[in-house]
Amino acid sequence: MADPAETIDADRSPVEVDRVIIRFAGDSGDGMQLTGDRFTAASAVFGNDLSTLPEYPAEIRAPAGTLAGVSAFQVHISDHEITTPGDAPNVLVAMNPAALRSELKRLVDGGTVLVNTDAFTERNLEKAGYEVNPLTDGTLDHVTVYEVPMTSLTKEAVAPLGVKPRDAERSKNFFALGLISWMYTRPEGPTLTWIDQHFASKPQVAAANRAAFMAGHAFGETAELFDHPYAVRPAVRPPGTYTNITGNVALAWGLVAAGRQSGLPIFLGSYPITPASDILHELSKYKSFGIRTFQAEDEIAGIGSAIGAAFGGHLAVTTTSGPGVALKGEAMGLAVSLELPLVIVDIQRGGPSTGLPTKTEQADLFQAMYGRHGESPLPIVAAHSPAACFDAAIEAARIALKYRTPVMLLSDGYLANGSEPWRIPDVSDLPDISVEFATEPNHTDPDGNAVFWPYKRDPLTLARPWAVPGTPGLEHRIGGIEKADGTGNISYDPANHERMVHLRADKIAGIANDIPPVELTGDTDGAELLVVGWGSTWGAIDGAANRVRARGRRVAHAHLTHLNPFPPNLGEILARHDRVVVPELNLGQLSRLLRAEFLVDAHSITKVQGVPFTAGELEAAFLKELGA
Amino acid sequence: MSSTITTPQDWASDQEVRWCPGCGDYSILKAVQLLMPELGGTPANTVFISGIGCSSRFPYYLDTYGMHSIHGRAPAIATGLAVAREDLDVWVVGGDGDMLSIGGNHLIHALRRNVNLTILLFNNQIYGLTKGQYSPTSEVGKVTKSTPFGSLDHPFNPVSVALGAEASFVARTHDMDRGHMMEMFRRAREHRGAALVEIYQNCNVFNDGAFESITSRSARDDMLIPLVHGEPVRFGADKQKGVTIDGQGRAQIVNVADVGEEAILVHDESRPDPGLAFMLSRLASGPDEPTPIGVFRAVDRPDYGSQVTAQLEAATERGGPGDLDALLHSRPSWEVAPA
Ligand code: SF4
């Protein structure tokens, strides 16, 4: 790409670049998430491809001005397809010294820094741990710095509106947004419309934000500081209607779609937990879809209520993060034993314990796989990108309903809060996942009476019938005690228990015949290196594999959406590659599953820093694996 | 079952009942099986949900829909079912360990939300299924396998707990009086919202006779204080004793002759404030003092499930039924034309 800092154009018409990575950083109270979000929204509507990475502290209000309180939002926009929020930002917007100090190291050499000089007071410098002002001591010699007194310019701009100075300062993020929007020739319309709508009930705040935004824009245009703005053209992509969507919204919408496609009302039992709560918030809005959301007294009641609703014939869902899954463990075992459909959503975060609540990790794979007592297998589906959470939710619901089983749906903090453009599907193309309730007796007893056996299985899927209360003649009792094969009556018979354990395991294993084979991308034939990934590492792996291929090496990529059971062709793919690597944001959980299942010498590439892999990190790791 | 005329046999399952001979659970089961035909429901529309413990075997013995779930979680599971399916008649069955220890949280939240459930709490003041440890309702000093030197825990009074959670219906009965049990169960079932009935239940294996000094035929007159709506709270063979509220607002047992009939408290189960009912629940600190039985509280309060449904209906009325295509296009979007 053209490096923005090096391109000079005297007539100040925009200079085209093919992509740019911008990082907005400031104090938690500075509104950087909002600023990044708005810049993203304007870029999305403009038609760029994009990917975002919000990063914020776990504290709602960490001490102002400190390194701990820095909140950042990285957005990568491009005129071609991209899959990650980018390795190193080209532009850093630093609203205070702490933001500069914590984020500067990420910037590319020769990158651009915009600082709010008003915030570089002695006190703020001290809080950030600067002994000398970095604006004057040569710290920033390797980058291009634009010093802009954003706070005072904002105050000036909003003064005519009669806004109090303290309130005026709050609009400075809109000044920054206006300036960056000018720099990257973003259309102003979407932001101004959003301000008017969002602050409709507070006209003065709306007016102030509007004025600050316009002032930032005008500052770029009139101040002689900048040589020219840049332009990033819309990306070329398949025709259709697109919207920018985060993983949590896509997942929630996927559940709404699953409700429609199954013809069943949705029941969500959930307890608030970061980073999963947004799914509860989102689904709570859609009452006209017949969706019942229940904020339970705890995680156990979240899944408990969902099990009750599943018994009643609803498409039942519980949403949580790792600590919540741990609490739900016993109830998940009950759902395995009851053989009722249930979707358990785990938006993974850094662990163990409270861990890193706002950061991402993929370390719940073992918990999803094994986190229950006894032999209690359940299917696992994992989304690979924010938008892919939509399809993953429908797929999890499909498997749950068809096989009458709890299904674990894995996402993570990065997918949950990150966003990307999504081509809105045609509703008529969505899969039919409808199921039929039992309505008739299904067995004849020795006396010739028609009876209902709740555990008489479909010979193909091994799923048991789903007879919901209210159906006359099919009254039955289910429970967590082992049941006799067929009748479902309590049974302590050793041989029966073994048969039931095998039946439950076979049922889940058999789903392999009902899921798509894993698709190999890149060098599908004769690759030197096979990369196997799952979940949110998809974008970084894809980017890194492309770079390694650009260096003339042959790399194939298999990305797993189904982690239990594995796709039917995975063993064959592994067998025909000599070198297999598995990048994961954990200490090698998938690689160990692969080793156990396929006796393959899968090498693990791991990272547990609460942030995704960058493509650069994986590129280096792949090259090392190739001995290059 | 298409007709609503049923017999007790229609409600009994073919499963062999497996409680210890002489267990109080048998008489409770009998009372429920006899009552069900009178309530006019059908087995198909009735669901019993239990947790873990001796009493939690209950659903297996009724030919209705049922779930024998996991320890303590029955109120949570039943909440989901009752909220999802307002058409069903959902019962919760469990013991003092199940619903007041491991599941205490779920119980109080089901009560405060006023989920439409009929909750039967079998209180035998002991852990039976795990073979005799003290429970959250056991008296202080109880010597059990886990408390060889006597238990230190102050017990819960289940009726007080339920009233503290502002349950809209709270009653107490005991396993020695089928008629009274059936009456309490009927009232609880007919109540819209969360209804809790505490049943003093004898565990003849691990805590035999825990309630004998108040529930035995010879003791009842003097030791059980029947609460009857609209009537003075009086007891004793000749109704010679009664309950008054003193100047401090405390309930007291008095001789009617000493204070005069007018001074005796007239029971009003429909008081909006649960305070007085709570006072009555404090009359006895354990089942060895005169103990009130009957309906402590029965007030009208919108039940949770119908309010959930009302919100769904209101939303549908406002904007029509949900349209997935419209939802997917509800955020800012842009078109990419064919190249
Ligand atoms: S242990 Fe006690 S409560 Fe349990 S069945 Fe036996 S007598 Fe009844």
Side-chain angles (χ1 to χ4, degrees):
Chain A
M1 67 171 278
D3 191 326
E6 282 173 15
T7 320
I8 305 291
D9 191 326
D11 68 1
R12 298 194 95 218
S13 63
V15 168
E16 277 192 15
V17 290
D18 65 349
R19 65 188 184 108
V20 67
I21 301 160
I22 301 173
R23 195 168 172 92
F24 297 92
D27 197 62
S28 304
D30 285 343
M32 288 298 97
Q33 299 301 324
L34 179 72
T35 311
D37 214 45
R38 286 301 97 209
F39 184 86
T40 303
S43 300
V45 178
F46 182 67
N48 295 126
D49 197 6
L50 62 87
S51 174
T52 68
L53 177 64
E55 287 186 75
Y56 46 86
E59 294 77 17
I60 301 303
R61 282 272 184 276
T66 62
L67 292 174
V70 173
S71 171
F73 187 104
Q74 184 163 315
V75 52
H76 184 181
I77 59 171
S78 134
D79 68 2
H80 55 279
E81 198 192 325
I82 49 169
T83 57
T84 75
D87 292 5
N90 307 102
V91 181
L92 170 66
V93 179
M95 298 302 283
N96 68 4
L100 181 69
R101 189 175 169 103
S102 97
E103 306 300 317
L104 181 65
K105 56 185 177 291
R106 299 175 194 265
L107 200 66
V108 293
D109 272 348
T112 301
V113 181
L114 271 88
V115 291
N116 174 18
T117 48
D118 289 327
F120 281 64
T121 60
E122 216 162 285
R123 193 164 150 61
N124 281 347
L125 289 166
E126 196 184 305
K127 277 198 234 169
Y130 279 123
E131 278 166 22
V132 190
N133 190 339
L135 302 179
T136 56
D137 73 347
T139 303
L140 301 174
D141 282 357
H142 64 300
V143 296
T144 306
V145 184
Y146 294 111
E147 297 186 15
V148 185
M150 298 189 203
T151 311
S152 35
L153 288 170
T154 303
K155 283 184 186 164
E156 249 170 59
V158 304
L161 300 169
V163 181
K164 286 195 217 93
R166 201 156 34 93
D167 293 338
E169 193 187 324
R170 294 219 187 106
S171 294
K172 65 180 181 296
N173 59 329
F174 280 94
F175 182 95
L177 180 60
L179 178 51
I180 288 284
S181 297
W182 173 81
M183 272 181 84
Y184 287 92
T185 49
R186 304 289 92 184
E188 297 137 73
T191 305
L192 293 174
T193 310
W194 182 87
I195 291 175
D196 290 344
Q197 283 171 358
H198 194 76
F199 298 103
S201 60
K202 298 174 194 153
Q204 201 179 39
V205 178
N209 288 340
R210 215 169 211 283
F213 178 79
M214 293 312 293
H217 207 275
F219 180 82
E221 210 165 302
T222 52
E224 293 290 309
L225 221 49
F226 306 94
D227 295 319
H228 50 71
Y230 297 91
V232 183
R233 282 170 177 273
V236 178
R237 47 167 100 242
T241 307
Y242 286 78
T243 189
N244 188 50
I245 198 159
T246 64
N248 271 351
V249 173
L251 200 152
W253 286 9
L255 292 171
V256 179
R260 177 186 188 271
Q261 298 307 104
S262 65
L264 297 177
I266 287 180
F267 181 96
L268 171 68
S270 183
Y271 187 75
I273 185 170
T274 303
S277 304
D278 279 341
I279 302 170
L280 168 62
H281 304 162
E282 192 68 19
L283 285 177
S284 303
K285 294 188 229 163
Y286 304 130
K287 305 229 178 289
S288 64
F289 286 84
I291 296 173
R292 287 173 170 79
T293 54
F294 174 63
Q295 183 176 315
E297 59 271 22
D298 60 24
E299 293 282 359
I300 299 170
I303 188 170
S305 60
I307 289 172
F311 188 45
H314 282 227
L315 172 50
V317 183
T318 187
T319 50
T320 187
S321 184
V325 176
L327 284 164
K328 294 179 199 292
E330 188 197 13
M332 284 161 54
L334 175 66
V336 168
S337 175
L338 297 178
E339 302 192 46
L340 284 172
L342 174 65
V343 176
I344 301 151
V345 180
D346 178 1
I347 312 295
Q348 300 164 94
R349 65 189 220 187
S353 189
T354 308
L356 304 174
T358 61
K359 307 285 182 191
T360 199
E361 207 161 275
Q362 293 183 298
D364 289 352
L365 179 56
F366 278 174
Q367 180 172 236
M369 194 75 189
Y370 303 121
R372 294 159 297 286
H373 75 288
E375 294 288 351
S376 54
L378 49 73
I380 304 171
V381 174
H384 72 268
S385 78
C389 290
F390 182 83
D391 291 329
I394 298 175
E395 174 66 353
R398 178 188 77 86
I399 294 173
L401 292 170
K402 183 166 174 183
Y403 294 88
R404 324 272 202 254
T405 175
V407 173
M408 183 72 81
L409 172 56
L410 295 178
S411 169
D412 60 34
Y414 164 51
L415 297 182
N417 295 318
S419 68
E420 66 177 351
W422 174 54
R423 189 160 71 93
I424 300 170
D426 192 330
V427 168
S428 62
D429 291 341
L430 296 175
D432 175 7
I433 58 170
S434 57
V435 283
E436 276 175 25
F437 294 140
T439 53
E440 301 278 327
N442 59 356
H443 194 77
T444 309
D445 72 9
D447 302 335
N449 300 317
V451 293
F452 178 65
W453 277 16
Y455 280 78
K456 183 168 177 173
R457 295 167 191 281
D458 178 304
L460 245 122
T461 59
L462 297 183
R464 73 176 192 89
W466 191 6
V468 303
T471 315
L474 305 192
E475 293 85 357
H476 65 282
R477 276 67 55 195
I478 55 178
I481 298 185
E482 187 60 280
K483 290 157 288 288
D485 183 17
T487 65
N489 291 332
I490 291 181
S491 168
Y492 297 111
D493 173 41
N496 175 76
H497 175 56
E498 184 154 47
R499 189 159 60 246
M500 290 297 277
V501 167
H502 279 292
L503 277 168
R504 287 187 288 260
D506 291 349
K507 179 176 83 166
I508 304 307
I511 296 170
N513 304 319
D514 190 25
I515 58 178
V518 64
E519 200 192 330
L520 204 57
T521 58
D523 296 303
T524 53
D525 207 23
E528 303 163 81
L529 181 70
L530 170 67
V531 187
V532 182
W534 69 279
S536 67
T537 53
W538 170 76
I541 294 176
D542 187 67
N546 280 329
R547 293 187 199 178
V548 174
R549 278 191 288 270
R551 291 167 176 259
R553 307 302 297 255
R554 299 177 64 77
V555 183
H557 177 192
H559 210 80
L560 300 176
T561 297
H562 295 90
L563 291 142
N564 192 37
F566 286 128
N569 62 334
L570 183 60
E572 176 268 319
I573 287 177
L574 289 166
R576 62 186 160 88
H577 291 90
D578 293 335
R579 247 182 281 211
V580 179
V581 289
V582 185
E584 294 176 86
L585 300 176
N586 58 43
L587 293 186
Q589 300 189 5
L590 175 62
S591 79
R592 269 182 276 173
L593 292 180
L594 295 176
R595 282 167 166 264
E597 180 85 15
F598 301 107
L599 296 176
V600 58
D601 185 18
H603 290 190
S604 198
I605 300 172
T606 72
K607 179 178 182 182
V608 277
Q609 298 174 11
V611 289
F613 284 115
T614 64
E617 285 166 348
L618 289 182
E619 177 188 9
F622 296 168
L623 287 170
K624 188 167 160 225
E625 195 64 37
L626 286 164
Chain B
M1 302 299 309
S2 51
S3 141
T4 53
I5 311 284
T6 60
T7 65
Q9 286 70 41
D10 294 323
W11 296 83
S13 78
D14 59 0
Q15 297 296 297
E16 184 197 338
V17 183
R18 291 203 196 175
W19 289 307
C20 306
C23 174
D25 291 356
Y26 284 94
S27 63
I28 303 172
L29 175 64
K30 192 78 199 166
V32 169
Q33 285 173 341
L34 288 174
L35 175 69
M36 293 318 269
E38 295 181 18
L39 295 176
T42 64
N45 275 309
T46 305
V47 187
F48 277 81
I49 297 190
S50 64
I52 293 291
C54 294
S55 56
S56 288
R57 290 296 184 98
F58 207 85
Y60 290 119
Y61 309 136
L62 289 162
D63 197 14
T64 63
Y65 283 89
M67 188 194 294
H68 178 207
S69 75
I70 45 178
H71 204 14
R73 316 306 170 195
I77 293 169
T79 292
L81 181 61
V83 170
R85 293 284 307 276
E86 270 197 88
D87 57 314
L88 300 174
D89 181 14
V90 183
W91 297 64
V92 177
V93 174
D96 41 311
D98 193 58
M99 279 205 262
L100 287 171
S101 197
I102 190 167
N105 196 32
H106 306 307
L107 178 69
I108 58 174
H109 287 278
L111 295 176
R112 75 161 169 100
R113 288 191 182 104
N114 206 28
V115 182
N116 193 29
L117 299 171
T118 308
I119 304 170
L120 307 184
L121 196 164
F122 295 31
N123 182 9
N124 56 16
Q125 301 193 339
I126 198 78
Y127 281 80
L129 194 64
T130 51
K131 300 195 167 58
Q133 300 82 10
Y134 75 111
S135 90
T137 56
S138 297
E139 65 279 12
V140 175
K142 190 161 195 74
V143 173
T144 69
K145 280 182 200 152
S146 59
T147 50
F149 300 99
S151 69
L152 304 172
D153 307 28
H154 185 76
F156 269 142
N157 173 331
V159 168
S160 298
V161 170
L163 289 167
E166 294 188 46
S168 59
F169 183 98
V170 184
R172 179 187 285 143
T173 184
H174 66 96
D175 62 2
M176 299 290 284
D177 187 342
R178 180 184 294 162
H180 192 262
M181 277 194 286
M182 287 173 68
E183 182 54 22
M184 292 303 105
F185 299 166
R186 178 203 313 277
R187 289 285 315 276
R189 156 67 162 67
E190 284 167 357
H191 178 78
R192 183 90 201 163
L196 179 118
V197 184
E198 179 194 19
I199 309 154
Y200 283 157
Q201 174 243 321
N202 191 41
C203 167
N204 55 308
V205 173
F206 295 108
N207 203 18
D208 195 24
F211 306 102
E212 205 176 343
S213 60
I214 60 170
T215 61
S216 69
R217 268 179 212 289
S218 58
R220 267 181 225 172
D221 278 348
D222 286 324
M223 299 300 276
L224 293 180
I225 308 173
L227 301 177
V228 181
H229 182 60
E231 294 195 7
V233 182
R234 293 178 67 163
F235 66 109
D238 303 314
K239 300 280 175 218
Q240 73 278 27
K241 285 179 265 189
V243 173
T244 60
I245 301 298
D246 72 9
Q248 307 290 320
R250 280 180 307 229
Q252 274 187 333
I253 292 171
V254 294
N255 287 318
V256 178
D258 294 346
V259 297
E261 280 183 29
E262 319 71 53
I264 301 299
L265 173 71
V266 175
H267 184 51
D268 179 2
E269 61 190 29
S270 65
R271 279 170 181 267
D273 186 286
L276 195 57
F278 188 83
M279 274 301 145
L280 288 171
S281 79
R282 309 309 294 168
L283 261 177
S285 60
D288 48 7
E289 298 171 27
T291 301
I293 61 164
V295 177
F296 285 73
R297 184 171 202 238
V299 295
D300 278 334
R301 183 149 72 84
D303 80 278
Y304 190 76
S306 43
Q307 293 181 88
V308 169
T309 304
Q311 281 193 343
L312 301 194
E313 284 168 357
T316 307
E317 214 159 275
R318 269 198 309 275
D323 175 346
L324 180 62
D325 190 58
L327 170 65
L328 301 189
H329 289 85
S330 62
R331 295 160 75 95
S333 63
W334 67 96
E335 295 293 330
V336 173

